[in-house]
Amino acid sequence: MLRNAKNGKPASSQGPNRARAFYSKKLGLDPVEQRQGGLRYVCAGGEFAMFVSAGVQSGTHTQMGWEVEDIEATVRELRARGVEFETYDLPGLKTVDGIADIQGNYASKGIGERGAWFRDSEGNLLGIGQPFDL
């Protein structure tokens, strides 16, 4: 039943004006639609909604991500806009200049992925990734 359904991702905010400013100024994204308590954004490969919530984000897992063609250029551009990337030094996951090489991926997408993570103004952990082949 869901195979042909459109997939949208939600992100929550306790400060909708603050979140709107972050997504616009830092990520270059502006909402295509607004309603009471929510904003809808559309990107090339899908859409997501930012909604007002009294809950607090755990920030312990990636809540939303984008696949990009050039992760180094994307990280550079986002840093120039003031985005701060997470640093990880864990077994199997180490970032170098904000980017981690991750082995293993879906076979149709290559043999691995390069990834980087950052937090939005609301504490949501967001990621960008670029699949790679050797």
Side-chain angles (χ1 to χ4, degrees), residues 6 25 40 59-60 76 78 98 106 113:
K6 197 173 194 180
K25 292 177 185 171
R40 187 170 71 92
T60 60
R76 216 173 16 257
L78 291 173
Y106 296 104
E113 181 176 18

mmCIF file of all heavy atoms in Angstrom, residues 6 25 40 59-60 76 78 98 106 113:
data_model
loop_
_atom_site.group_PDB
_atom_site.id
_atom_site.type_symbol
_atom_site.label_atom_id
_atom_site.label_comp_id
_atom_site.label_asym_id
_atom_site.label_seq_id
_atom_site.Cartn_x
_atom_site.Cartn_y
_atom_site.Cartn_z
ATOM 1 N N LYS A 6 4.089 8.980 -1.352
ATOM 2 C CA LYS A 6 5.122 9.996 -1.205
ATOM 3 C C LYS A 6 5.584 10.001 0.242
ATOM 4 O O LYS A 6 4.777 9.903 1.156
ATOM 5 C CB LYS A 6 4.527 11.356 -1.573
ATOM 6 C CG LYS A 6 5.523 12.413 -1.860
ATOM 7 C CD LYS A 6 4.785 13.640 -2.371
ATOM 8 C CE LYS A 6 5.726 14.605 -3.000
ATOM 9 N NZ LYS A 6 5.028 15.783 -3.482
ATOM 10 N N LYS A 25 18.599 31.013 6.272
ATOM 11 C CA LYS A 25 19.929 31.628 6.239
ATOM 12 C C LYS A 25 21.056 30.610 6.162
ATOM 13 O O LYS A 25 22.028 30.811 5.443
ATOM 14 C CB LYS A 25 20.133 32.515 7.466
ATOM 15 C CG LYS A 25 19.252 33.743 7.453
ATOM 16 C CD LYS A 25 19.426 34.551 8.719
ATOM 17 C CE LYS A 25 18.439 35.716 8.723
ATOM 18 N NZ LYS A 25 18.409 36.392 10.002
ATOM 19 N N ARG A 40 6.058 23.841 5.418
ATOM 20 C CA ARG A 40 6.378 22.729 4.518
ATOM 21 C C ARG A 40 7.473 23.173 3.564
ATOM 22 O O ARG A 40 7.398 24.242 2.969
ATOM 23 C CB ARG A 40 5.149 22.273 3.738
ATOM 24 C CG ARG A 40 5.399 21.018 2.916
ATOM 25 C CD ARG A 40 4.103 20.458 2.354
ATOM 26 N NE ARG A 40 3.563 21.285 1.307
ATOM 27 C CZ ARG A 40 3.815 21.125 -0.001
ATOM 28 N NH1 ARG A 40 4.600 20.159 -0.410
ATOM 29 N NH2 ARG A 40 3.280 21.939 -0.889
ATOM 30 N N GLY A 59 18.225 14.351 19.908
ATOM 31 C CA GLY A 59 19.473 14.653 19.227
ATOM 32 C C GLY A 59 20.452 13.493 19.221
ATOM 33 O O GLY A 59 21.627 13.669 18.927
ATOM 34 N N THR A 60 19.992 12.282 19.539
ATOM 35 C CA THR A 60 20.888 11.133 19.618
ATOM 36 C C THR A 60 20.935 10.318 18.333
ATOM 37 O O THR A 60 21.697 9.362 18.252
ATOM 38 C CB THR A 60 20.475 10.203 20.773
ATOM 39 O OG1 THR A 60 19.139 9.750 20.546
ATOM 40 C CG2 THR A 60 20.569 10.921 22.113
ATOM 41 N N ARG A 76 31.748 22.745 2.863
ATOM 42 C CA ARG A 76 32.405 24.054 2.751
ATOM 43 C C ARG A 76 31.380 25.187 2.671
ATOM 44 O O ARG A 76 31.488 26.192 3.365
ATOM 45 C CB ARG A 76 33.289 24.056 1.492
ATOM 46 C CG ARG A 76 34.555 24.798 1.617
ATOM 47 C CD ARG A 76 35.519 24.670 0.442
ATOM 48 N NE ARG A 76 35.027 24.161 -0.825
ATOM 49 C CZ ARG A 76 35.238 22.932 -1.284
ATOM 50 N NH1 ARG A 76 35.945 22.060 -0.591
ATOM 51 N NH2 ARG A 76 34.762 22.560 -2.447
ATOM 52 N N LEU A 78 28.155 25.142 3.597
ATOM 53 C CA LEU A 78 27.384 25.254 4.841
ATOM 54 C C LEU A 78 28.211 25.885 5.953
ATOM 55 O O LEU A 78 27.702 26.702 6.718
ATOM 56 C CB LEU A 78 26.845 23.887 5.264
ATOM 57 C CG LEU A 78 25.752 23.309 4.364
ATOM 58 C CD1 LEU A 78 25.418 21.879 4.777
ATOM 59 C CD2 LEU A 78 24.514 24.176 4.374
ATOM 60 N N GLY A 98 35.129 17.078 9.656
ATOM 61 C CA GLY A 98 33.674 17.027 9.668
ATOM 62 C C GLY A 98 33.051 15.925 8.847
ATOM 63 O O GLY A 98 31.841 15.745 8.867
ATOM 64 N N TYR A 106 23.924 0.152 0.638
ATOM 65 C CA TYR A 106 23.068 -0.658 -0.207
ATOM 66 C C TYR A 106 23.814 -0.902 -1.506
ATOM 67 O O TYR A 106 24.378 0.017 -2.088
ATOM 68 C CB TYR A 106 21.743 0.059 -0.466
ATOM 69 C CG TYR A 106 20.951 0.244 0.807
ATOM 70 C CD1 TYR A 106 20.895 1.489 1.427
ATOM 71 C CD2 TYR A 106 20.287 -0.821 1.383
ATOM 72 C CE1 TYR A 106 20.185 1.656 2.600
ATOM 73 C CE2 TYR A 106 19.577 -0.661 2.553
ATOM 74 C CZ TYR A 106 19.523 0.582 3.158
ATOM 75 O OH TYR A 106 18.831 0.746 4.313
ATOM 76 N N GLU A 113 29.769 5.186 1.936
ATOM 77 C CA GLU A 113 29.180 6.523 1.949
ATOM 78 C C GLU A 113 30.090 7.442 2.746
ATOM 79 O O GLU A 113 30.759 7.027 3.670
ATOM 80 C CB GLU A 113 27.796 6.451 2.600
ATOM 81 C CG GLU A 113 27.074 7.752 2.665
ATOM 82 C CD GLU A 113 25.664 7.607 3.227
ATOM 83 O OE1 GLU A 113 25.364 6.582 3.875
ATOM 84 O OE2 GLU A 113 24.873 8.531 3.029
#
